[in-house]
Amino acid sequence: MLERLLLPLIAGVLPLAFPDPATEQAPTPPKVIELTITPKPSPLQPLRYRLLPLESQLTPGNAVPIYLRIGAETKDEAIDLISKETIKLLQGTIEDFPVDEGHKLTDQFARRLKQMDFAARRQTAEWNYTLPEEREDVINLLLPDVQELRTWSRLLPVKARLEIAEHRYPDAVRTIETGIAMGRHIAEGPFVINALVGIAVANQSLNQVEDLIGRPDAPNLYWSLTALPRPLVTVRTGMETEQALVENMIPELVEPEGPLTGAEWASRLARIHGRWNQIAKMLDVEATSVLPPNTSLPAAPPAKPTILVPDDPAKFVADVLPEAKSFMTKRDVAIDKMTDAEVIVRYLMDLHREFRDQDFTPTYLPYAEALPMYDAVEARRKERKGVVSGFLNAFQPAVQTAHTSEARLDRRVASFRIIEALRMHLAANGGSLPKSLDEVKIVPIPRDPMTGKPFEYQVDGEAALLTSQATPALSYRIRVAN
């Protein structure tokens, strides 16, 4: 798929947003995040602090040209500096944040940060990729802007952290707001990689919400978090582009508008075979070799499919015809009056649509409802055998990975809402942690978006443990400041 050409980018996307799912196949104990909180009621103006700009206050216009100008005339040394310094400045606790170094970096790029602020408050994000013009060659469509914006976005959490360290909380909230809005703008691009980078950018801003919640004098952000949309960043646009990918690259797999002659079916089959070989060669794979497993999304790939695509059209027909006849007969399709070419083409069309629909159906459910279906999706992938099945299998993305990333972002927001609800409860109940979340009556307690069930909560001595067991697990140990 087109993201196959962006493996260096993909390798960096999910670690920025979340730990790599490929390392989490076996259940592992979650890292327990230590958090000390202070009692804090809701502000008298609960929506004073916004984590996403109000639609009614956005500036008319397209944000993308502003984003793309941020990196204009920037030397490679500056990009390297951002990459190295932001990693260093975001390590450690907020109490250890090196304020002078934070100022030095953010002051150097102050104009760029201001442009991000402007862009994040535009009404639209129209990326205008040449997908309509290059549908058949989409695998070669380049997305350098995605990588570039991922780099620039790293300045925002540094700026927010600096502002939190200096107790400039309204400024920090605005910077976090900029990062979340920027992530949503990036995700409006048409590809799954846009959504994954957008999730990563939004998530690095949520990291600073975690820093802010732990400050003794920080405002309570329960209603600011509650006002965020759900999902916070959607992968739906990219998923629906992926659904059409195979038919875009091989338009002969689309149902013909009217009846075709035998010669027309033969011509269509020849074009499919030609495109098939062309795609394999675009991927730097010889047409008679094994095509690599799908790498569209950063997930552990399914078992490597064996996809042998004969260069000789006659051999291709001979190899595929038996499975095509068997497939059509099992579905009670009368093939006795069809040419061999029509049988094969109709088989390819139907099998592609079956695979596509089976794999993508769960993405339209809430994540908690979709999760049991993904096991069936993976089982079907492993059962698919043969020349055609192997080829189509390689072009079906690991949809669960993208859906999981979307849900994990929402789970972070939900967990922060609970922590802020606990701060309200502390303020109203003499600073004592509730024995259970059912005791918190002051505001609603959200459920875990990944399970559809309540978060787990238990008090252990002077601390409370807030946990989500959905893979990968999430765990906070919450203490009340003395």
Side-chain angles (χ1 to χ4, degrees), residues 290-294 301-307 381-382 384-385 390 393-394:
V290 176
L291 194 67
N294 166 67
K304 179 178 286 189
T306 300
I307 306 166
R381 284 178 183 270
K382 294 177 180 178
R384 295 167 182 168
K385 308 294 183 183
N393 216 33

Side-chain angles (χ1 to χ4, degrees), residues 268-430:
R268 179 172 281 231
L269 177 58
R271 292 197 301 274
I272 291 173
H273 177 256
R275 291 183 192 277
W276 193 323
N277 275 283
Q278 184 182 28
I279 291 168
K281 291 170 183 175
M282 282 182 184
L283 297 171
D284 294 326
V285 178
E286 291 298 325
T288 55
S289 68
V290 176
L291 194 67
N294 166 67
T295 52
S296 169
L297 302 175
K304 179 178 286 189
T306 300
I307 306 166
L308 302 178
V309 187
D311 279 317
D312 180 10
K315 187 175 187 318
F316 174 72
V317 170
D319 287 350
V320 175
L321 186 59
E323 60 184 82
K325 287 183 175 180
S326 174
F327 175 91
M328 300 297 276
T329 300
K330 287 178 180 178
R331 283 155 179 77
D332 295 324
V333 178
I335 61 174
D336 53 310
K337 295 183 179 180
M338 294 183 186
T339 64
D340 288 348
E342 182 178 357
V343 171
I344 293 175
V345 173
R346 288 198 176 279
Y347 162 60
L348 297 177
M349 290 190 298
D350 288 353
L351 189 65
H352 155 61
R353 285 193 290 262
E354 284 190 17
F355 282 9
R356 178 198 64 195
D357 292 356
Q358 290 171 358
D359 290 354
F360 280 97
T361 297
T363 68
Y364 291 103
L365 291 170
Y367 183 80
E369 296 176 26
L371 197 55
M373 296 183 66
Y374 283 127
D375 291 337
V377 167
E378 194 57 36
R380 284 194 297 267
R381 284 178 183 270
K382 294 177 180 178
E383 292 171 356
R384 295 167 182 168
K385 308 294 183 183
V387 176
V388 177
S389 295
F391 178 81
L392 293 176
N393 216 33
F395 280 83
Q396 295 298 332
V399 293
Q400 182 179 353
T401 302
H403 202 177
T404 300
S405 297
E406 178 188 276
R408 289 170 73 181
L409 194 67
D410 288 345
R411 181 178 67 175
R412 286 203 79 191
V413 174
S415 68
F416 292 157
R417 287 179 62 201
I418 293 176
I419 294 168
E420 290 293 56
L422 291 175
R423 294 178 73 203
M424 287 186 192
H425 180 90
L426 292 172
N429 292 274

Side-chain angles (χ1 to χ4, degrees), residues 193-213:
I193 193 66
N194 294 100
L196 290 176
V197 174
I199 288 171
V201 171
N203 192 64
Q204 53 185 19
S205 287
L206 288 180
N207 289 339
Q208 311 323 306
V209 172
E210 190 173 286
D211 281 339
L212 186 56
I213 286 174

Side-chain angles (χ1 to χ4, degrees), residues 20 93 144 176 348 384 442:
D20 185 353
T93 65
I176 293 168
L348 297 177
R384 295 167 182 168
I442 196 164

Side-chain angles (χ1 to χ4, degrees), residues 79-337:
I79 299 299
D80 291 340
L81 175 68
I82 293 171
S83 299
K84 293 176 182 177
E85 289 300 307
T86 53
I87 291 173
K88 181 175 69 174
L89 291 169
L90 294 173
Q91 291 176 343
T93 65
I94 187 67
E95 289 78 10
D96 298 327
F97 183 79
V99 171
D100 290 343
E101 292 180 35
H103 271 295
K104 183 178 178 180
L105 182 66
T106 56
D107 289 350
Q108 182 175 345
F109 296 103
R111 290 296 303 165
R112 264 78 173 187
L113 285 162
K114 180 61 72 175
Q115 292 298 305
M116 286 185 237
D117 182 281
F118 293 153
R121 288 160 182 82
R122 286 293 175 99
Q123 283 182 340
T124 62
E126 300 171 16
W127 292 92
N128 291 325
Y129 293 126
T130 54
L131 177 60
E133 296 86 356
E134 297 185 273
R135 290 185 186 278
E136 295 178 22
D137 194 33
V138 66
I139 200 165
N140 284 325
L141 201 157
L142 301 178
L143 309 174
D145 46 353
V146 176
Q147 169 73 320
E148 182 177 308
L149 287 178
R150 186 174 72 88
T151 300
W152 284 108
S153 72
R154 290 172 175 166
L155 289 169
L156 291 168
V158 172
K159 182 174 182 288
R161 217 169 200 219
L162 171 63
E163 291 158 346
I164 294 168
E166 295 184 331
H167 300 265
R168 294 187 285 124
Y169 300 139
D171 293 339
V173 170
R174 184 177 176 91
T175 302
I176 293 168
E177 178 184 70
T178 298
I180 293 175
M182 183 176 180
R184 285 168 56 86
H185 276 161
I186 292 171
E188 289 185 32
F191 305 113
V192 168
I193 193 66
N194 294 100
L196 290 176
V197 174
I199 288 171
V201 171
N203 192 64
Q204 53 185 19
S205 287
L206 288 180
N207 289 339
Q208 311 323 306
V209 172
E210 190 173 286
D211 281 339
L212 186 56
I213 286 174
R215 302 299 279 178
D217 54 343
N220 192 301
L221 298 179
Y222 174 89
W223 288 109
S224 306
L225 292 158
T226 304
L228 291 173
R230 290 177 287 278
L232 180 54
V233 178
T234 181
V235 299
R236 179 165 182 154
T237 298
M239 286 289 198
E240 295 197 343
T241 299
E242 298 278 1
Q243 287 187 45
L245 184 69
V246 173
E247 290 179 2
N248 283 339
M249 298 176 66
I250 310 177
E252 290 80 11
L253 291 177
V254 177
E255 186 74 33
E257 294 183 359
L260 303 180
T261 65
E264 287 171 331
W265 282 114
S267 175
R268 179 172 281 231
L269 177 58
R271 292 197 301 274
I272 291 173
H273 177 256
R275 291 183 192 277
W276 193 323
N277 275 283
Q278 184 182 28
I279 291 168
K281 291 170 183 175
M282 282 182 184
L283 297 171
D284 294 326
V285 178
E286 291 298 325
T288 55
S289 68
V290 176
L291 194 67
N294 166 67
T295 52
S296 169
L297 302 175
K304 179 178 286 189
T306 300
I307 306 166
L308 302 178
V309 187
D311 279 317
D312 180 10
K315 187 175 187 318
F316 174 72
V317 170
D319 287 350
V320 175
L321 186 59
E323 60 184 82
K325 287 183 175 180
S326 174
F327 175 91
M328 300 297 276
T329 300
K330 287 178 180 178
R331 283 155 179 77
D332 295 324
V333 178
I335 61 174
D336 53 310
K337 295 183 179 180

